Amino acid sequence: MKKDLHPANYRPVVFKDMSNGDMFLSKSTCKTTETIEFEGETYPLYKLEISSTSHPFYTGKSKLVDTAGRVDKFMSRYGAARKNK
């Protein structure tokens, strides 16, 4: 493998899905300000709004519930018009 292939800040980071609390460890260069204890060690923490463990496509659930309520707002405005067609 080539020497110095990865950036200097390429390190293990814990990604936390804020919608369901699931966490996973992966390497990344993303900037973080928080840390978290994960599997007995301290890692930088990156918070996600949605991941594969909560996304409707991967979970098989048809309804997406987001924190801002954008989906419900859209469905209340345009959902009835779509059903009439």
Side-chain angles (χ1 to χ4, degrees), residues 4-5 13-14 19-20 25 30-31 38-39 41-42 47 49 55 59-60 64 71-74 81-82:
D4 299 327
L5 182 66
V13 176
V14 173
S19 63
N20 63 7
L25 181 67
C30 63
K31 294 182 181 184
F38 184 73
E39 297 179 350
E41 294 192 36
T42 303
K47 295 179 179 177
E49 294 239 358
H55 194 279
T59 61
L64 174 63
V71 172
D72 294 330
K73 188 175 180 180
F74 176 83
R82 186 173 184 219

Side-chain angles (χ1 to χ4, degrees), residues 47-67:
K47 295 179 179 177
L48 303 168
E49 294 239 358
I50 195 164
S51 70
S52 62
T53 61
S54 61
H55 194 279
F57 179 79
Y58 296 105
T59 61
K61 297 178 183 175
S62 62
K63 186 172 181 177
L64 174 63
V65 178
D66 63 334
T67 55

